[in-house]
Amino acid sequence: MNKISKYIIAFASVVIPSVAVGVTVNVCTNNNLHNKQNVSRFSLSQAYDLAKPGDLIYEGQGGFATFVGHIVTVTGTEIIDGVKNIDIIEATHIDVHYSTLTESDFCNKHSYLLQTDLTDQQRDDVVYFNEQQLGKPYSYDYLKYSTDISTKSWYCSELGWASYFYAGLNLWNGDDLLVNKGVTNYSLTELESLIAPAPSAIVNSSNLNIVYSYNNLSL
């Protein structure tokens, strides 16, 4: 089977809904913090308190993300007019740009905060890589994936993956790094992992942990 055929089959598995068992997809609750013991629960505002520069966020709702998901990179946090905001860099159909997520955005976009053990230098490297891409156009070539800092265009999860690769951590290699965590609304197949670092591949990477989510999903 050639690469294009694999892409077509995997794309179909993404856009044809297959709701994962145990996933709550329509509600936002106040029970959103996850740890290994699954015993600590905090309010939705904890997303702001937990987010660190270099973290990734997976969004499962909103525009095209409703079908394939969306990956953004955290650059910091700030309070604007009394509202807690998570500052991000993202690649959208416009270009690579700065943006923010409010607490309500985090909920309404069905978001998951993804973390792993990074040194301060690695966090700086992730943010630096993203900042070097600001203003570059969005890439619609989903068969393309690059880790080169001079790449001319990006799609969302490719940028997140490449920034972590630059910092010394590979979140996807097209082989066996994925763990179906029951996060996405769509089926996760082995074929998807063979094609490109899609949003579903990043959120289900065995190298990332879900530390906070919009719902009360128990992992």
Side-chain angles (χ1 to χ4, degrees):
M1 182 180 294
N2 62 35
K3 191 174 184 181
I4 294 177
S5 298
K6 291 178 180 179
Y7 174 76
I8 293 172
I9 293 173
F11 182 77
S13 74
V14 173
V15 300
I16 299 174
S18 176
V19 178
V21 176
V23 178
T24 305
V25 297
N26 294 316
V27 298
C28 294
T29 74
N30 287 328
N31 300 320
N32 303 297
L33 181 71
H34 305 296
N35 60 19
K36 292 182 179 179
Q37 293 76 34
N38 195 34
V39 295
S40 297
R41 302 292 191 181
F42 294 85
S43 69
L44 188 60
S45 65
Q46 287 298 110
Y48 170 91
D49 298 324
L50 289 169
K52 301 176 182 178
D55 289 345
L56 299 179
I57 292 175
Y58 171 87
E59 299 174 358
Q61 288 289 315
F64 198 54
T66 303
F67 299 98
V68 298
H70 183 52
I71 295 291
V72 307
T73 301
V74 176
T75 60
T77 57
E78 59 182 330
I79 297 177
I80 302 175
D81 296 329
V83 178
K84 293 180 177 180
N85 288 265
I86 299 175
D87 298 325
I88 61 173
I89 290 178
E90 61 180 339
T92 70
H93 67 282
I94 303 171
D95 59 13
V96 180
H97 57 270
Y98 285 114
S99 189
T100 60
L101 283 176
T102 65
E103 295 172 53
S104 60
D105 289 336
F106 191 92
C107 178
N108 293 332
K109 293 183 177 182
H110 290 194
S111 302
Y112 297 80
L113 178 62
L114 310 172
Q115 290 183 343
T116 191
D117 292 328
L118 296 176
T119 66
D120 290 343
Q121 183 59 57
Q122 285 178 310
R123 292 187 179 278
D124 289 344
D125 288 344
V126 170
V127 174
Y128 172 79
F129 187 97
N130 277 267
E131 289 176 337
Q132 297 307 300
Q133 313 314 315
L134 289 168
K136 291 184 179 180
Y138 184 77
S139 172
Y140 290 93
D141 182 1
Y142 304 127
L143 293 177
K144 180 264 297 181
Y145 44 91
S146 172
T147 58
D148 191 336
I149 198 168
S150 63
T151 296
K152 295 181 179 180
S153 62
W154 301 94
Y155 54 87
C156 66
S157 53
E158 178 194 22
L159 177 57
W161 166 69
S163 66
Y164 266 61
F165 194 89
Y166 179 80
L169 182 63
N170 191 4
L171 301 180
W172 172 86
N173 67 1
D175 191 6
D176 59 355
L177 287 178
L178 302 189
V179 177
N180 194 339
K181 302 172 185 175
V183 170
T184 58
N185 301 348
Y186 311 98
S187 60
L188 175 67
T189 70
E190 292 183 3
L191 282 177
E192 287 180 63
S193 69
L194 295 175
I195 295 165
S200 60
I202 301 304
V203 71
N204 288 290
S205 171
S206 61
N207 286 325
L208 291 174
N209 299 310
I210 298 171
V211 296
Y212 193 86
S213 72
Y214 78 99
N215 64 13
N216 59 355
L217 176 64
S218 298
L219 300 179

